[in-house]
Each structure stands twice: as structure tokens, then as C-alpha cells.
Amino acid sequence: MVARDDVHYFGAGPAPLPTPVLEEASKVLLNYKDKGIGICEISHRSPDANEILAQAKAALTNLLDIPDDYDILFLQGGGSGEFSAAVYNLVSIWVEKRRAKAEKELGESVSEGELKAKVLERLRKEVDEELKLDYLVTGSWSLKASQEAARLVGAQHVNVALDARKANGGKFGQIAAESEWNLTPRKQNGGPALVYFCDNETVDGVEFPAFPSSLEGDDAPPVVADMSSNFISRKVDVRKYSVIFGGAQKNIGNTGITIVILRKSLLPPQSTLASPELLRALNLPVGPIVLDWPTIAKNNSLYNTLPIFDVWVAGQVMSGLVQAYGARKIEGQEEISNDKAKMIYETLDKYPNVFRVVPDKSVRSRMNICFRVGGGDAEKEKSFLAGAEKRGLLGLKGHRSVGGIRASNCKLPRHASPHAHYALLLDKYLRTLRQR
């Protein structure tokens, strides 16, 4: 039987969770708080469930310094579910703002009986001519998000403001200068319904080095960021985003929940979604209730049955980071993530005749280190993976869509030592390979 401490997992999917969390989980699965029943058996509407939610929210708020005017939601559906939720919610808000403005302006010049028809006529014209959703496509996941938006509202409403493949021979691996992006112009009471980007592309090993300056400003449109694979790995200024989301399984917990951080100004009473009747009249989609942010927020994430065990695991991981780093908060974890990435990249760069890092150096992901062995030779990469597995280095195979090797560095260390033990081991293996 292989010992847990002898294995170092680099896969980009479900996270290798801290061993102490799993040991405690094995206990609460059988008997939670000495109640005689397991945590998976308690009611999701019980005081215990609400306490678990509150503790997870408090830990995340502490780590990221989330301001009071933001809310934290726990949902299901993964990051892919939020591809759709962002479209449903923010397009609906865009329409409602336009409806209210039209009603105010047209109400002074037409009778009450004519007003509804005039407003609908104007809205149809504005939707046809002005509704835009901006996407920065820098890898496989942002591409999928843009494709989902086009599926829901029509390709004519989706503006791919950046397609990173155009500057890189048809492949992902670079991010063009912001001056080259084709963002929808900002207008008074207008602009795009959202600007969307994936902060870290898990498949392609590309990460935004910082928040785009072109998306800042008081008149900035709602900015939506997918942080599934670099959540709680570095300090972020939450106020620059309208929405941050991510599946918990990458580096916060186990598969089953999605975390959404959003401005309360997107929720009633500060903001209102357009009615389903109006959206249908405009040939726009009406989203399912389980992806409706106001409904989830109103019900404290408990509108439908939430997997409380998954929330508990995420809360335990985040609380452990709070305890480990104290006043440094997420900066403590950021330092470890950066050190591990630096160690591996330096080794890869030292032997370019053996290893080739895929993305451009300016946008290399700290989380997902994508590289090729022997120029991408299939047999050499197969041999590399076999040798790695013998040494207890698992999950290094690249995504099926791109191949190659991928060392996912976002995973939290499972061992008692805070040092990058598995990064050291991979570094040692890379050094032996370059001699072959």
C-alpha cells in the first residue's frame, strides 16, 4: 500500500487536500459534534449548517480582505455554471437599467397606454444595436465561457475583445498589450453588460500578471473574473471586480461547490433584474432559478440543498490558512506559491535543450506550469511521465486538448512542513532528466 506522504500530486483537477483536514473529515463524516449522526446527514437548513456557512465566509473574508459591500455565495454547477450565470444575471441587469431609463424619458411624451409599447420598441432596438458582452480569450476556459455566452444570447452580442491566439500562431500562450484590445467603448449609462476574463488558464498555463488597467475607473463596466485555479493563491484587490468566482476543487476544497464573490450593488434593492416576460419579449434567455444570484443571496446560499460537507471542507482549508499566516493573510500562501513556481521554472529554463516552457515568460502561470520534453516528442514525454510516477510524482500529464506536461502548482501542501517539498522533488527529477 502506497503511503500518502510518499505521493506528490500535480493534477489540475481535484486538489490534494491538507492531510489534517481529511483526518478530521473522516471523523465528522461518522459523528458530527458528538450528535451521533454524520455531517452529510444534517439538515442544510439547520443551525449547524448556517454555522458552517458563516465560518467559511468569515475565513474567506479574512484572507482576501473582502469589503462589507460584497457578498459571498455558495452554489453548485462548477465554474461552467457561472459562465451561464454571469450572462443571465448581468444581461438582465443591463436590460432593466435601459428599461427604467426609457420609461422615464418616454413617459413625459406619450400617454400611459402607449408607454409600454414605446419602451419595448426602444429596448428591442437597443438590444439589437448596443448589447455587448466583452470577452478576453486567453485560453481554453475563457474560450468556453465566450462560446457559452454566444449560445445564450447570440454571437452578434459577444465581442471577443482579445483573442490571444492571433498573436501566437493560432495557439494560446501570450496576452497582447492592452492597447491592442478591442473593448466596447464606455458610454454614459451604457458600455458592455460585462467584461469577462479568466485570471489563470488551467489548460494553457497562462496567468494575468496583474489586473488590467484598462478595466479600471469609476465608469468601468462590470468585470467578471474566473479565479477557479488561482483562488487564494495571491492577494487581489476585490474592489476592482464586480464578480469573482471559482470552483472550490482546484485549491480550496473538494468538488461540489462554487464560490462567488460579488458586489451587493448587483443585488436588490440597489439593482433589479428584468422580468422574465420582458426578457422573452426581447428574445433573451431567462436563467434557471438556481443560478439567480439575488435568489441565492436572499436565501443565504440555501435556496436548494447545498452540500454542506463540501462547504465545511473549504472552510477548514481556509481557516487553516488564517491560522497559519495570521496578519499576513493570503500573502503567506502567495509567497509559497511563488517560490514553488520559481524553483521549477528556473530548472526548466536552465536546460532548454531538454525542456520548453509553453507560454511566454511574461504571462507564465504560477499555478499550472506547462512544458514539453524533447521538443514535444511523444515517446520522450511518455517516458518522462512513467519515470515521474515511479518517483511518486503523479498527475503531470498535460490536458488532453494540448498534450505535453503540466505541473499544477496551486495545490496546498499536504505535509506538516510549509516548505515546497514536492516542488523540490520534481526539481530533482528534472535535473536528472536533462542528463539523458
Side-chain angles (χ1 to χ4, degrees):
M1 179 175 170
V2 179
R4 181 172 174 82
D5 286 352
D6 291 336
V7 170
H8 305 276
Y9 183 66
F10 291 87
L17 295 164
T19 297
V21 171
L22 291 180
E23 290 172 341
E24 185 63 25
S26 68
K27 298 176 183 177
V28 302
L29 277 170
L30 289 173
N31 193 341
Y32 183 65
K33 295 174 69 171
D34 291 326
K35 293 178 178 291
I37 61 171
I39 191 171
C40 291
E41 299 165 300
I42 66 173
S43 169
H44 71 292
R45 300 195 188 282
S46 66
D48 285 328
N50 278 277
E51 181 184 47
I52 290 169
L53 273 167
Q55 290 174 347
K57 285 184 178 182
L60 184 56
T61 298
N62 184 308
L63 284 172
L64 295 184
D65 287 321
I66 299 175
D68 292 338
D69 56 342
Y70 281 72
D71 206 344
I72 301 172
L73 310 181
F74 293 89
L75 307 90
Q76 297 169 70
S80 297
E82 292 311 301
F83 295 172
S84 307
V87 174
Y88 289 133
N89 286 275
L90 293 173
V91 166
S92 185
I93 289 172
W94 186 93
V95 169
E96 176 57 23
K97 286 181 178 178
R98 292 301 185 98
R99 186 209 62 79
K101 182 182 179 184
E103 187 174 89
K104 180 179 179 180
E105 294 177 356
L106 295 174
E108 300 174 358
S109 59
V110 299
S111 66
E112 185 174 343
E114 296 175 307
L115 181 58
K116 186 174 181 180
K118 288 287 186 182
V119 167
L120 184 57
E121 179 184 4
R122 173 165 152 175
L123 282 176
R124 281 175 175 158
K125 187 175 188 296
E126 291 182 349
V127 167
D128 288 344
E129 297 178 359
E130 300 181 38
L131 175 60
K132 293 295 180 184
L133 290 70
D134 286 4
Y135 281 79
L136 306 179
V137 176
T138 57
S140 300
W141 289 111
S142 52
L143 176 61
K144 287 186 177 183
S146 71
Q147 292 169 338
E148 173 65 358
R151 189 182 72 87
L152 293 175
V153 299
Q156 72 273 22
H157 296 303
V158 175
N159 172 41
V160 177
L162 163 67
D163 185 341
R165 295 170 295 184
K166 292 182 179 179
N168 197 42
K171 296 183 179 180
F172 293 117
Q174 295 185 10
I175 298 178
E178 293 185 43
S179 59
E180 298 178 30
W181 299 358
N182 184 34
L183 294 166
T184 299
R186 303 180 190 181
K187 302 176 182 177
Q188 186 176 6
N189 298 321
L194 61 88
V195 179
Y196 183 106
F197 70 94
C198 181
D199 205 38
N200 182 77
E201 291 282 2
T202 321
V203 172
D204 306 282
V206 172
E207 185 175 27
F208 278 83
F211 185 87
S213 60
S214 57
L215 303 183
E216 297 189 47
D218 294 336
D219 63 340
V223 176
V224 180
D226 176 358
M227 292 190 182
S228 292
S229 54
N230 64 353
F231 231 144
I232 66 170
S233 73
R234 65 179 179 184
K235 187 174 178 62
V236 297
D237 186 351
V238 174
R239 288 196 179 279
K240 293 183 178 181
Y241 305 83
S242 293
V243 181
I244 295 171
F245 73 83
Q249 70 275 8
K250 296 297 184 183
N251 54 0
I252 297 180
N254 54 297
T255 304
I257 56 168
T258 307
I259 300 174
V260 177
I261 304 169
L262 78 165
R263 282 184 182 148
K264 291 180 179 177
S265 61
L266 297 176
L267 303 170
Q270 297 181 60
S271 187
T272 306
L273 274 64
S275 69
E277 294 76 19
L278 177 57
L279 292 171
R280 281 192 285 266
L282 296 171
N283 295 317
L284 291 172
V286 178
I289 197 70
V290 292
L291 295 181
D292 184 74
W293 292 335
T295 298
I296 304 303
K298 181 181 178 181
N299 290 275
N300 189 32
S301 298
L302 296 171
Y303 175 79
N304 61 321
T305 305
L306 189 69
I308 288 298
F309 173 69
D310 301 331
V311 179
W312 179 88
V313 171
Q316 292 294 302
V317 171
M318 293 186 291
S319 295
L321 293 177
V322 170
Q323 295 173 8
Y325 300 125
R328 297 184 65 205
K329 301 184 180 180
I330 203 60
E331 290 178 354
Q333 182 62 31
E334 180 176 11
E335 182 179 328
I336 288 178
S337 297
N338 292 348
D339 285 348
K340 289 190 290 184
K342 180 182 178 183
M343 186 181 301
I344 296 173
Y345 277 127
E346 284 182 346
T347 302
L348 294 171
D349 288 339
K350 194 174 293 184
Y351 308 109
N353 58 318
V354 180
F355 310 112
R356 177 177 63 83
V357 178
V358 175
D360 185 78
K361 197 168 187 177
S362 63
V363 294
R364 286 180 177 178
S365 169
R366 302 164 304 120
M367 302 289 99
N368 307 103
I369 300 167
C370 297
F371 60 98
R372 307 307 297 253
V373 177
D377 181 273
E379 288 303 315
K380 289 183 178 180
E381 291 188 338
K382 185 177 179 180
S383 175
F384 173 92
L385 293 169
E389 188 167 343
K390 289 179 181 179
R391 291 163 172 79
L393 304 172
L394 308 182
L396 283 166
K397 187 175 182 179
H399 191 270
R400 62 185 180 279
S401 65
V402 295
I405 314 296
R406 175 175 57 177
S408 289
N409 193 37
C410 56
K411 312 308 181 187
L412 298 169
R414 292 192 277 111
H415 307 281
S417 169
H419 296 97
H421 182 61
Y422 60 53
L424 285 167
L425 195 54
L426 179 59
D427 175 74
K428 182 178 179 181
Y429 179 43
L430 292 175
R431 291 175 190 275
T432 61
L433 278 178
R434 58 94 180 178
Q435 298 171 353
R436 298 181 181 180

